[in-house]
Amino acid sequence: MIETLNDFEISLINKFRAHPLFMQIDAIVWQDLLEILIQRRFLSLSIVNIYEFVIDALTDQQIKRTVRGILNEEFPRNTKGVPLPSHRELLFQDLLNLGATPEMILATPETLTTQMVRDKSYKLMVGCLGEKHCQVGLVAFLRFWAEVLVSVEYSCLWQQISERLSNGQSNHKLRSEFYYFHMIHDSRNSDIGKETILGGLTHSQELAIHLKRLISSEEALVYCLNLQENAYQLKYQFYDQFIKVHLMRERESIKHWGERKN
């Protein structure tokens, strides 16, 4: 059963990476990329509510501890317990370092598509309540929507982001404290059942350990596959909205070039 789940995840990830926006990411002008990242911020801001919902809905204390531990990383502290900048603050700073202004970040309205993706994502979790395989469904959706696909998203967007921010190895570019961190620490890194603590586990791997334990029947497996498919579709729709905008601007640019030429 786990092999089926692994194969399905890999197929969804490959289809997601092949999204037209990611395939032409190098051709997107910088201002358009900032607009994408600012809209993507709305999904990031919903992560805390998503995690807190799952914590309240879970009955397994061991899984609760794992999910709670991941959530607590959103609000890090130093060795003396003093609060450090939250992940939300680090995201804000990365966007500033990429060229966005505070007004752009804070005043840009959420699009209808972005709002739809957030709302439907939350409703998918609510829909797990009362279902026979509620517990495994919650873990499957949380892991794929909030960790696996997030890492894939940022790895695709990193091609452009890395033009201005670094992974910390450059003396000429500011270090990314949000995008690069999540690209690495949320990643799938290994098939389910092949996790190893050597070198530390990513968030996806931490949740995968519980997922494997909870999938005890074909029925539970199918339930998880459907939730992962839904998570993939929602994230795909989020990026679809920018393809239309990008194509319209591309056509306008070609039109203006033609007018100047004539």
Side-chain angles (χ1 to χ4, degrees):
M1 288 189 292
I2 295 303
E3 184 177 348
T4 299
L5 182 59
N6 278 318
D7 290 344
F8 188 68
E9 285 189 353
I10 292 170
S11 70
L12 290 181
I13 289 170
N14 288 337
K15 287 195 292 184
F16 192 45
R17 286 188 181 278
H19 189 284
L21 183 93
F22 296 146
M23 295 300 288
Q24 58 179 327
I25 192 70
D26 290 338
I28 295 177
V29 299
W30 194 259
Q31 197 62 27
D32 287 352
L33 181 73
L34 284 180
E35 290 180 15
I36 293 168
L37 294 177
I38 289 171
Q39 282 301 311
R40 181 60 184 75
R41 175 175 174 268
F42 288 108
L43 301 188
S44 295
L45 296 180
S46 70
I47 285 287
V48 170
N49 287 340
I50 294 280
Y51 262 87
E52 288 181 337
F53 178 94
V54 172
I55 289 171
D56 288 342
L58 286 169
T59 56
D60 187 303
Q61 293 303 313
Q62 187 179 355
I63 307 176
K64 274 182 183 278
R65 284 194 293 272
T66 297
V67 177
R68 191 182 297 121
I70 295 173
L71 175 60
N72 286 341
E73 290 186 25
E74 293 285 320
F75 308 97
R77 294 173 179 268
N78 66 15
T79 54
K80 295 182 179 180
V82 177
L84 299 172
S86 68
H87 284 190
R88 180 194 57 76
E89 293 176 86
L90 296 177
L91 169 56
F92 190 80
Q93 188 59 53
D94 264 13
L95 286 171
L96 291 178
N97 291 340
L98 286 169
T101 65
E103 292 74 19
M104 285 170 60
I105 302 168
L106 298 173
T108 296
E110 187 176 19
T111 65
L112 291 176
T113 298
T114 302
Q115 186 177 25
M116 177 275 292
V117 170
R118 282 198 311 104
D119 290 347
K120 286 192 174 182
S121 298
Y122 198 83
K123 286 175 182 176
L124 271 174
M125 292 192 308
V126 174
C128 291
L129 301 178
E131 293 290 334
K132 180 179 178 181
H133 301 291
C134 169
Q135 299 295 293
V136 66
L138 289 169
V139 175
F141 181 80
L142 179 69
R143 174 179 166 276
F144 206 66
W145 189 93
E147 302 296 344
V148 174
L149 290 182
V150 167
S151 177
V152 175
E153 290 172 77
Y154 292 160
S155 67
C156 292
L157 294 168
W158 185 252
Q159 294 177 61
Q160 277 268 44
I161 294 173
S162 61
E163 291 184 9
R164 299 199 181 191
L165 299 182
S166 79
N167 60 2
Q169 304 299 313
S170 171
N171 295 322
H172 308 292
K173 292 183 284 190
L174 293 170
R175 174 177 173 172
S176 169
E177 300 292 349
F178 179 84
Y179 294 110
Y180 185 76
F181 174 89
H182 285 79
M183 180 175 71
I184 300 302
H185 291 276
D186 294 349
S187 65
R188 192 173 181 271
N189 260 25
S190 65
D191 283 344
I192 299 170
K194 301 290 180 64
E195 299 81 16
T196 172
I197 61 172
L198 186 63
L201 297 171
T202 66
H203 295 164
S204 293
Q205 290 175 309
E206 288 183 73
L207 293 170
I209 292 171
H210 296 297
L211 190 59
K212 180 184 177 184
R213 177 169 60 86
L214 290 173
I215 296 179
S216 57
S217 67
E218 288 289 339
E219 187 180 31
L221 172 65
V222 172
Y223 188 65
C224 290
L225 297 179
N226 287 333
L227 284 169
Q228 289 185 332
E229 173 71 29
N230 286 328
Y232 154 77
Q233 290 290 350
L234 285 169
K235 287 293 182 78
Y236 203 94
Q237 289 174 52
F238 173 79
Y239 288 100
D240 270 350
Q241 67 179 310
F242 304 112
I243 286 295
K244 298 170 186 175
V245 173
H246 177 63
L247 288 175
M248 286 175 61
R249 288 182 178 171
E250 202 172 49
R251 291 191 190 105
E252 282 297 312
S253 177
I254 293 172
K255 178 183 176 183
H256 291 325
W257 180 83
E259 289 173 350
R260 289 197 303 270
K261 186 178 179 181
N262 295 329

